[in-house]
Amino acid sequence: MKKKTALITGISGQDGAYLAEFLINKNYIVVGSERRSARYDTWRLKRLGIERKIIREELELTEPYEISRLIKKYKFDEIYNLGAQSFVKSSFSSPLYTCNTNGLSVLRILETIREFSPNTKFYQASSSEMFGEILTKKQNERTPFNPRSPYAVSKVFGHFIVKNYRESYNLFAVSGILFNHESPFRGEEFVTRKITKGLVNIINGKQKFLELGNIYSKRDWGFAKEYTEVMWKMLQQKKPDDYVVSTGRTYSIKDFINLCTDYLKIKTKWIGKGLDEKLINLKNNKIIIKISPKYFRPSEVDLLIGDSSKAKKILKWKPKTNLKSLVKIMLDEEIKYFLS
Ligand code: NAP
Ligand code: G4F
């Protein structure tokens, strides 16, 4: 049987690495696109041992002609559009760049598929951030969006342009509305990895304390490796459709910290309130976490909690890793690479 060829934009990111591994194991030819940037880094692909199994191509998502060159060259069976300016906080300082990269690039890809490769199936990385200030207790495919950042607005554009091209031109184009998903491959700017790395640095004397922003927001956190598998499942269905992917449980950043300190067996105590709240290490009475206004956002998403019953019913998918297990996976890997 002829091997399928898939393009993953954002191959250097967390999800790109796990998805590439998954597709390689499914015998796909994987083309991974990278932008011409000094930041390009293959550490995740190296750690998975798949760096040499990927065909690397250049693609800057904001460049209109690069995507058409690639699509004409490969006529991909599947495209997974994971590339994005994915850090919500940066979207407040770079709103135009964020909207161009995350929003208009989706349209650029869809237009090219429509014109040159209409049989290509397309997956768009939509986000639970689109629900923003939530309008229902749990969020599913029918919950209205209420975005709270330029990032979320850019993803809403991407989401609806996918729906529009599916309905107008009969393309197999879908969006996965994924809730937060984490792993040892998470970028260090995101809160979970900042905490796991920071705490391991602190107990090993490499860092004195950690500064965080709003520790009371709540997220529905899953394990990234499981979430990339569901992207593929969406493209194997008879009918293209959008799906929410989540665990259905929500925890605050403070809960996540407490799970980490429990696992690391650090005896701690929270003291103070607001900007003066601190986490003290009871062994030596030193402050290990402080609050800094530097990490607050102009507008915050206070609470996210997903309802992925549609994915469970149709895709036969459900999450396996709870937050306590995810904390263990992240901290074990953090310790292993700190010591190596
Ligand atoms: P990530 O680790 O930040 O990876 C983002 C990728 O996009 C990187 O490879 C980055 O390349 C690339 N990229 C950024 N700007 C680009 C540009 N202008 N042109 C080409 N490539 C560009 O993100 P992730 O966590 O894997 O997430 C994957 C996708 O899912 C993103 O679209 C994100 O918005 C979305 N999403 C993520 C989550 C989550 O919880 N992780 C939840 C919902 C949706 P560089 O290495 O060069 O920066
Ligand atoms: O880890 P975060 O930066 O993730 P956020 O904003 O929820 O976005 C992530 O998940 C989205 C899915 O819902 C993706 F679409 C998006 O691409 C990204 O992957 O922040 C989580 C929470 C926020 O409420 C933030 O204000 O943690 C809070 N927080 C508190 N202190 C902090 C910090 N976030 C970061 N990054 N750094 C802090 O020091």
mmCIF file of all heavy atoms in Angstrom, residues 10-16 35 37 39 59-62 82-86 97 101 125-127 151 155 178-182 186 190, ligand 1:
data_model
loop_
_atom_site.group_PDB
_atom_site.id
_atom_site.type_symbol
_atom_site.label_atom_id
_atom_site.label_comp_id
_atom_site.label_asym_id
_atom_site.label_seq_id
_atom_site.Cartn_x
_atom_site.Cartn_y
_atom_site.Cartn_z
ATOM 1 N N GLY A 10 4.899 23.589 12.439
ATOM 2 C CA GLY A 10 5.189 23.661 13.879
ATOM 3 C C GLY A 10 5.842 22.385 14.385
ATOM 4 O O GLY A 10 5.632 21.978 15.535
ATOM 5 N N ILE A 11 6.654 21.743 13.560
ATOM 6 C CA ILE A 11 7.290 20.471 13.931
ATOM 7 C C ILE A 11 8.222 20.623 15.130
ATOM 8 O O ILE A 11 8.447 19.673 15.870
ATOM 9 C CB ILE A 11 8.064 19.880 12.713
ATOM 10 C CG1 ILE A 11 8.510 18.434 12.944
ATOM 11 C CG2 ILE A 11 9.301 20.721 12.352
ATOM 12 C CD1 ILE A 11 7.501 17.420 12.641
ATOM 13 N N SER A 12 8.756 21.830 15.337
ATOM 14 C CA SER A 12 9.711 22.005 16.435
ATOM 15 C C SER A 12 9.029 22.183 17.793
ATOM 16 O O SER A 12 9.693 22.206 18.819
ATOM 17 C CB SER A 12 10.622 23.215 16.164
ATOM 18 O OG SER A 12 9.823 24.375 16.054
ATOM 19 N N GLY A 13 7.699 22.288 17.804
ATOM 20 C CA GLY A 13 6.996 22.512 19.074
ATOM 21 C C GLY A 13 6.631 21.218 19.786
ATOM 22 O O GLY A 13 6.939 20.114 19.324
ATOM 23 N N GLN A 14 5.978 21.371 20.927
ATOM 24 C CA GLN A 14 5.586 20.210 21.746
ATOM 25 C C GLN A 14 4.720 19.208 20.957
ATOM 26 O O GLN A 14 5.054 18.024 20.829
ATOM 27 C CB GLN A 14 4.782 20.687 22.967
ATOM 28 C CG GLN A 14 4.095 19.551 23.718
ATOM 29 C CD GLN A 14 3.175 20.030 24.834
ATOM 30 O OE1 GLN A 14 3.570 19.977 25.993
ATOM 31 N NE2 GLN A 14 1.973 20.477 24.509
ATOM 32 N N ASP A 15 3.607 19.703 20.385
ATOM 33 C CA ASP A 15 2.667 18.787 19.723
ATOM 34 C C ASP A 15 3.264 18.243 18.426
ATOM 35 O O ASP A 15 3.007 17.094 18.058
ATOM 36 C CB ASP A 15 1.350 19.512 19.406
ATOM 37 C CG ASP A 15 0.578 19.871 20.655
ATOM 38 O OD1 ASP A 15 1.100 19.675 21.769
ATOM 39 O OD2 ASP A 15 -0.558 20.365 20.528
ATOM 40 N N GLY A 16 4.037 19.088 17.747
ATOM 41 C CA GLY A 16 4.668 18.662 16.495
ATOM 42 C C GLY A 16 5.525 17.429 16.716
ATOM 43 O O GLY A 16 5.498 16.478 15.921
ATOM 44 N N ARG A 35 10.488 27.330 10.392
ATOM 45 C CA ARG A 35 10.724 28.651 9.814
ATOM 46 C C ARG A 35 12.209 28.957 9.845
ATOM 47 O O ARG A 35 12.949 28.385 10.655
ATOM 48 C CB ARG A 35 9.924 29.714 10.529
ATOM 49 C CG ARG A 35 10.089 29.703 12.023
ATOM 50 C CD ARG A 35 9.259 30.775 12.636
ATOM 51 N NE ARG A 35 9.170 30.598 14.072
ATOM 52 C CZ ARG A 35 8.812 31.560 14.881
ATOM 53 N NH1 ARG A 35 8.504 32.739 14.409
ATOM 54 N NH2 ARG A 35 8.750 31.346 16.177
ATOM 55 N N SER A 37 14.663 30.485 11.225
ATOM 56 C CA SER A 37 14.853 31.302 12.407
ATOM 57 C C SER A 37 15.926 30.670 13.261
ATOM 58 O O SER A 37 16.047 29.460 13.337
ATOM 59 C CB SER A 37 13.522 31.393 13.166
ATOM 60 O OG SER A 37 13.684 31.076 14.504
ATOM 61 N N ARG A 39 15.870 30.418 16.252
ATOM 62 C CA ARG A 39 15.253 29.713 17.382
ATOM 63 C C ARG A 39 14.996 28.248 17.069
ATOM 64 O O ARG A 39 14.674 27.482 17.945
ATOM 65 C CB ARG A 39 13.919 30.391 17.727
ATOM 66 C CG ARG A 39 14.081 31.589 18.636
ATOM 67 C CD ARG A 39 12.730 31.999 19.189
ATOM 68 N NE ARG A 39 12.140 30.915 19.969
ATOM 69 C CZ ARG A 39 10.831 30.747 20.139
ATOM 70 N NH1 ARG A 39 9.994 31.557 19.576
ATOM 71 N NH2 ARG A 39 10.375 29.753 20.865
ATOM 72 N N LEU A 59 9.210 26.766 6.025
ATOM 73 C CA LEU A 59 7.893 27.397 5.849
ATOM 74 C C LEU A 59 7.692 28.455 6.924
ATOM 75 O O LEU A 59 7.577 28.144 8.113
ATOM 76 C CB LEU A 59 6.763 26.353 5.940
ATOM 77 C CG LEU A 59 5.338 26.900 5.981
ATOM 78 C CD1 LEU A 59 5.006 27.651 4.700
ATOM 79 C CD2 LEU A 59 4.329 25.775 6.188
ATOM 80 N N GLU A 60 7.661 29.705 6.472
ATOM 81 C CA GLU A 60 7.274 30.794 7.363
ATOM 82 C C GLU A 60 5.786 31.005 7.094
ATOM 83 O O GLU A 60 5.392 31.336 5.965
ATOM 84 C CB GLU A 60 8.117 32.043 7.038
ATOM 85 C CG GLU A 60 7.617 33.361 7.598
ATOM 86 C CD GLU A 60 7.352 33.335 9.100
ATOM 87 O OE1 GLU A 60 8.277 33.088 9.869
ATOM 88 O OE2 GLU A 60 6.183 33.569 9.495
ATOM 89 N N LEU A 61 4.963 30.776 8.108
ATOM 90 C CA LEU A 61 3.516 30.775 7.884
ATOM 91 C C LEU A 61 2.966 32.119 7.386
ATOM 92 O O LEU A 61 1.914 32.158 6.760
ATOM 93 C CB LEU A 61 2.795 30.382 9.184
ATOM 94 C CG LEU A 61 2.762 28.882 9.484
ATOM 95 C CD1 LEU A 61 2.311 28.637 10.924
ATOM 96 C CD2 LEU A 61 1.860 28.129 8.522
ATOM 97 N N THR A 62 3.676 33.200 7.682
ATOM 98 C CA THR A 62 3.161 34.505 7.252
ATOM 99 C C THR A 62 3.520 34.831 5.793
ATOM 100 O O THR A 62 3.062 35.830 5.260
ATOM 101 C CB THR A 62 3.701 35.624 8.170
ATOM 102 O OG1 THR A 62 5.127 35.565 8.148
ATOM 103 C CG2 THR A 62 3.214 35.473 9.586
ATOM 104 N N LEU A 82 -0.141 23.000 13.072
ATOM 105 C CA LEU A 82 0.145 23.225 14.499
ATOM 106 C C LEU A 82 0.974 24.493 14.717
ATOM 107 O O LEU A 82 1.125 24.951 15.849
ATOM 108 C CB LEU A 82 0.909 22.021 15.075
ATOM 109 C CG LEU A 82 0.316 20.633 14.822
ATOM 110 C CD1 LEU A 82 1.107 19.566 15.577
ATOM 111 C CD2 LEU A 82 -1.147 20.570 15.241
ATOM 112 N N GLY A 83 1.549 25.024 13.671
ATOM 113 C CA GLY A 83 2.403 26.219 13.801
ATOM 114 C C GLY A 83 1.578 27.408 14.262
ATOM 115 O O GLY A 83 0.479 27.650 13.754
ATOM 116 N N ALA A 84 2.087 28.127 15.239
ATOM 117 C CA ALA A 84 1.365 29.307 15.735
ATOM 118 C C ALA A 84 2.244 30.096 16.693
ATOM 119 O O ALA A 84 3.171 29.540 17.288
ATOM 120 C CB ALA A 84 0.098 28.884 16.488
ATOM 121 N N GLN A 85 1.921 31.374 16.845
ATOM 122 C CA GLN A 85 2.437 32.148 17.973
ATOM 123 C C GLN A 85 1.516 31.715 19.115
ATOM 124 O O GLN A 85 0.401 32.215 19.253
ATOM 125 C CB GLN A 85 2.343 33.652 17.648
ATOM 126 C CG GLN A 85 3.081 34.558 18.602
ATOM 127 C CD GLN A 85 2.638 34.438 20.063
ATOM 128 O OE1 GLN A 85 3.211 33.654 20.852
ATOM 129 N NE2 GLN A 85 1.620 35.156 20.448
ATOM 130 N N SER A 86 1.987 30.758 19.915
ATOM 131 C CA SER A 86 1.070 30.038 20.802
ATOM 132 C C SER A 86 1.047 30.556 22.239
ATOM 133 O O SER A 86 0.324 30.028 23.070
ATOM 134 C CB SER A 86 1.444 28.543 20.816
ATOM 135 O OG SER A 86 2.677 28.377 21.482
ATOM 136 N N TYR A 97 1.054 40.469 14.588
ATOM 137 C CA TYR A 97 1.835 39.296 14.193
ATOM 138 C C TYR A 97 1.072 38.021 14.558
ATOM 139 O O TYR A 97 0.990 37.064 13.786
ATOM 140 C CB TYR A 97 3.223 39.322 14.872
ATOM 141 C CG TYR A 97 3.982 38.042 14.615
ATOM 142 C CD1 TYR A 97 4.521 37.777 13.363
ATOM 143 C CD2 TYR A 97 4.103 37.073 15.610
ATOM 144 C CE1 TYR A 97 5.175 36.582 13.108
ATOM 145 C CE2 TYR A 97 4.763 35.878 15.370
ATOM 146 C CZ TYR A 97 5.290 35.637 14.115
ATOM 147 O OH TYR A 97 5.915 34.449 13.866
ATOM 148 N N THR A 101 -0.134 35.246 11.878
ATOM 149 C CA THR A 101 0.395 33.875 11.946
ATOM 150 C C THR A 101 -0.709 32.858 12.228
ATOM 151 O O THR A 101 -0.788 31.818 11.584
ATOM 152 C CB THR A 101 1.444 33.765 13.088
ATOM 153 O OG1 THR A 101 2.389 34.806 12.916
ATOM 154 C CG2 THR A 101 2.153 32.430 13.064
ATOM 155 N N ALA A 125 -5.336 23.471 14.534
ATOM 156 C CA ALA A 125 -5.177 23.458 15.995
ATOM 157 C C ALA A 125 -5.963 24.615 16.612
ATOM 158 O O ALA A 125 -5.432 25.698 16.852
ATOM 159 C CB ALA A 125 -3.693 23.558 16.363
ATOM 160 N N SER A 126 -7.254 24.372 16.860
ATOM 161 C CA SER A 126 -8.059 25.367 17.583
ATOM 162 C C SER A 126 -7.810 25.203 19.083
ATOM 163 O O SER A 126 -7.166 24.242 19.505
ATOM 164 C CB SER A 126 -9.544 25.173 17.279
ATOM 165 O OG SER A 126 -9.862 25.699 16.011
ATOM 166 N N SER A 127 -8.356 26.134 19.866
ATOM 167 C CA SER A 127 -7.952 26.168 21.276
ATOM 168 C C SER A 127 -9.116 26.470 22.218
ATOM 169 O O SER A 127 -10.009 27.262 21.895
ATOM 170 C CB SER A 127 -6.893 27.264 21.432
ATOM 171 O OG SER A 127 -6.724 27.572 22.792
ATOM 172 N N TYR A 151 -4.596 36.361 20.945
ATOM 173 C CA TYR A 151 -4.358 34.958 20.584
ATOM 174 C C TYR A 151 -5.688 34.244 20.353
ATOM 175 O O TYR A 151 -5.891 33.570 19.333
ATOM 176 C CB TYR A 151 -3.575 34.256 21.701
ATOM 177 C CG TYR A 151 -3.517 32.752 21.539
ATOM 178 C CD1 TYR A 151 -2.562 32.155 20.726
ATOM 179 C CD2 TYR A 151 -4.436 31.924 22.198
ATOM 180 C CE1 TYR A 151 -2.524 30.764 20.562
ATOM 181 C CE2 TYR A 151 -4.398 30.539 22.039
ATOM 182 C CZ TYR A 151 -3.440 29.965 21.227
ATOM 183 O OH TYR A 151 -3.402 28.600 21.064
ATOM 184 N N LYS A 155 -7.406 32.610 16.920
ATOM 185 C CA LYS A 155 -7.800 31.210 16.807
ATOM 186 C C LYS A 155 -9.287 31.089 16.419
ATOM 187 O O LYS A 155 -9.676 30.146 15.751
ATOM 188 C CB LYS A 155 -7.524 30.466 18.120
ATOM 189 C CG LYS A 155 -6.037 30.196 18.361
ATOM 190 C CD LYS A 155 -5.520 29.050 17.498
ATOM 191 C CE LYS A 155 -4.052 28.773 17.698
ATOM 192 N NZ LYS A 155 -3.519 27.694 16.878
ATOM 193 N N LEU A 178 -8.670 21.912 21.396
ATOM 194 C CA LEU A 178 -7.928 21.222 22.452
ATOM 195 C C LEU A 178 -7.778 22.104 23.683
ATOM 196 O O LEU A 178 -7.416 23.287 23.580
ATOM 197 C CB LEU A 178 -6.543 20.785 21.925
ATOM 198 C CG LEU A 178 -6.510 19.376 21.283
ATOM 199 C CD1 LEU A 178 -7.565 19.214 20.193
ATOM 200 C CD2 LEU A 178 -5.134 19.058 20.761
ATOM 201 N N PHE A 179 -8.081 21.522 24.831
ATOM 202 C CA PHE A 179 -7.825 22.194 26.104
ATOM 203 C C PHE A 179 -6.339 22.036 26.415
ATOM 204 O O PHE A 179 -5.643 21.256 25.765
ATOM 205 C CB PHE A 179 -8.730 21.603 27.194
ATOM 206 C CG PHE A 179 -10.139 22.166 27.119
ATOM 207 C CD1 PHE A 179 -10.923 21.949 25.994
ATOM 208 C CD2 PHE A 179 -10.655 22.939 28.143
ATOM 209 C CE1 PHE A 179 -12.205 22.499 25.892
ATOM 210 C CE2 PHE A 179 -11.941 23.485 28.061
ATOM 211 C CZ PHE A 179 -12.713 23.260 26.936
ATOM 212 N N ASN A 180 -5.867 22.773 27.413
ATOM 213 C CA ASN A 180 -4.422 22.782 27.720
ATOM 214 C C ASN A 180 -3.872 21.366 27.819
ATOM 215 O O ASN A 180 -4.455 20.530 28.516
ATOM 216 C CB ASN A 180 -4.161 23.492 29.054
ATOM 217 C CG ASN A 180 -4.530 24.952 29.010
ATOM 218 O OD1 ASN A 180 -5.640 25.287 28.610
ATOM 219 N ND2 ASN A 180 -3.622 25.814 29.413
ATOM 220 N N HIS A 181 -2.754 21.144 27.170
ATOM 221 C CA HIS A 181 -2.096 19.841 27.290
ATOM 222 C C HIS A 181 -0.600 20.066 27.442
ATOM 223 O O HIS A 181 0.006 20.894 26.774
ATOM 224 C CB HIS A 181 -2.443 18.916 26.124
ATOM 225 C CG HIS A 181 -2.391 19.556 24.787
ATOM 226 N ND1 HIS A 181 -3.411 20.345 24.310
ATOM 227 C CD2 HIS A 181 -1.444 19.537 23.831
ATOM 228 C CE1 HIS A 181 -3.099 20.766 23.110
ATOM 229 N NE2 HIS A 181 -1.891 20.305 22.793
ATOM 230 N N GLU A 182 -0.051 19.307 28.359
ATOM 231 C CA GLU A 182 1.298 19.559 28.859
ATOM 232 C C GLU A 182 2.124 18.288 28.759
ATOM 233 O O GLU A 182 1.600 17.193 28.560
ATOM 234 C CB GLU A 182 1.224 19.998 30.329
ATOM 235 C CG GLU A 182 0.089 20.950 30.653
ATOM 236 C CD GLU A 182 0.234 22.319 30.026
ATOM 237 O OE1 GLU A 182 1.323 22.903 30.158
ATOM 238 O OE2 GLU A 182 -0.728 22.825 29.415
ATOM 239 N N ARG A 186 6.788 20.638 26.927
ATOM 240 C CA ARG A 186 6.152 21.942 26.962
ATOM 241 C C ARG A 186 7.221 23.039 26.953
ATOM 242 O O ARG A 186 8.279 22.911 27.608
ATOM 243 C CB ARG A 186 5.348 22.013 28.254
ATOM 244 C CG ARG A 186 4.298 23.082 28.373
ATOM 245 C CD ARG A 186 3.422 23.246 27.208
ATOM 246 N NE ARG A 186 2.088 23.641 27.587
ATOM 247 C CZ ARG A 186 1.311 24.410 26.835
ATOM 248 N NH1 ARG A 186 1.723 24.861 25.672
ATOM 249 N NH2 ARG A 186 0.086 24.704 27.223
ATOM 250 N N PHE A 190 5.503 28.435 29.385
ATOM 251 C CA PHE A 190 4.156 28.077 29.854
ATOM 252 C C PHE A 190 4.220 27.664 31.328
ATOM 253 O O PHE A 190 5.234 27.127 31.791
ATOM 254 C CB PHE A 190 3.578 26.952 28.989
ATOM 255 C CG PHE A 190 3.446 27.367 27.546
ATOM 256 C CD1 PHE A 190 4.441 27.056 26.632
ATOM 257 C CD2 PHE A 190 2.348 28.100 27.120
ATOM 258 C CE1 PHE A 190 4.342 27.462 25.304
ATOM 259 C CE2 PHE A 190 2.245 28.518 25.796
ATOM 260 C CZ PHE A 190 3.242 28.191 24.883
HETATM 261 P P1 NAP B 1 4.513 25.312 20.595
HETATM 262 O O1 NAP B 1 5.294 24.287 21.339
HETATM 263 O O2 NAP B 1 4.619 26.739 20.993
HETATM 264 O O3 NAP B 1 4.886 25.171 19.048
HETATM 265 C C1 NAP B 1 4.504 26.159 18.112
HETATM 266 C C2 NAP B 1 5.204 25.875 16.806
HETATM 267 O O4 NAP B 1 4.825 26.878 15.849
HETATM 268 C C3 NAP B 1 6.741 25.927 16.883
HETATM 269 O O5 NAP B 1 7.262 24.894 16.089
HETATM 270 C C4 NAP B 1 7.062 27.286 16.270
HETATM 271 O O6 NAP B 1 8.341 27.355 15.651
HETATM 272 C C5 NAP B 1 5.986 27.361 15.183
HETATM 273 N N1 NAP B 1 5.786 28.720 14.684
HETATM 274 C C6 NAP B 1 5.557 29.843 15.412
HETATM 275 N N2 NAP B 1 5.439 30.910 14.593
HETATM 276 C C7 NAP B 1 5.585 30.449 13.317
HETATM 277 C C8 NAP B 1 5.602 31.066 12.047
HETATM 278 N N3 NAP B 1 5.385 32.371 11.904
HETATM 279 N N4 NAP B 1 5.812 30.291 10.936
HETATM 280 C C9 NAP B 1 6.030 28.962 11.071
HETATM 281 N N5 NAP B 1 6.032 28.316 12.250
HETATM 282 C C10 NAP B 1 5.817 29.057 13.378
HETATM 283 O O7 NAP B 1 2.934 24.947 20.618
HETATM 284 P P2 NAP B 1 2.218 23.564 20.977
HETATM 285 O O8 NAP B 1 1.923 23.550 22.421
HETATM 286 O O9 NAP B 1 2.937 22.458 20.316
HETATM 287 O O10 NAP B 1 0.812 23.796 20.251
HETATM 288 C C11 NAP B 1 0.606 23.402 18.898
HETATM 289 C C12 NAP B 1 -0.605 24.148 18.348
HETATM 290 O O11 NAP B 1 -1.761 23.849 19.133
HETATM 291 C C13 NAP B 1 -0.490 25.666 18.355
HETATM 292 O O12 NAP B 1 -1.164 26.133 17.210
HETATM 293 C C14 NAP B 1 -1.224 26.093 19.612
HETATM 294 O O13 NAP B 1 -1.718 27.396 19.462
HETATM 295 C C15 NAP B 1 -2.335 25.055 19.631
HETATM 296 N N6 NAP B 1 -2.866 24.703 20.952
HETATM 297 C C16 NAP B 1 -2.021 24.283 21.935
HETATM 298 C C17 NAP B 1 -2.543 23.890 23.163
HETATM 299 C C18 NAP B 1 -1.665 23.427 24.280
HETATM 300 O O14 NAP B 1 -2.152 23.358 25.425
HETATM 301 N N7 NAP B 1 -0.428 23.061 24.025
HETATM 302 C C19 NAP B 1 -3.941 23.909 23.365
HETATM 303 C C20 NAP B 1 -4.763 24.308 22.311
HETATM 304 C C21 NAP B 1 -4.223 24.686 21.104
HETATM 305 P P3 NAP B 1 9.656 27.911 16.433
HETATM 306 O O15 NAP B 1 10.218 26.696 17.130
HETATM 307 O O16 NAP B 1 10.508 28.418 15.329
HETATM 308 O O17 NAP B 1 9.189 28.968 17.376
#
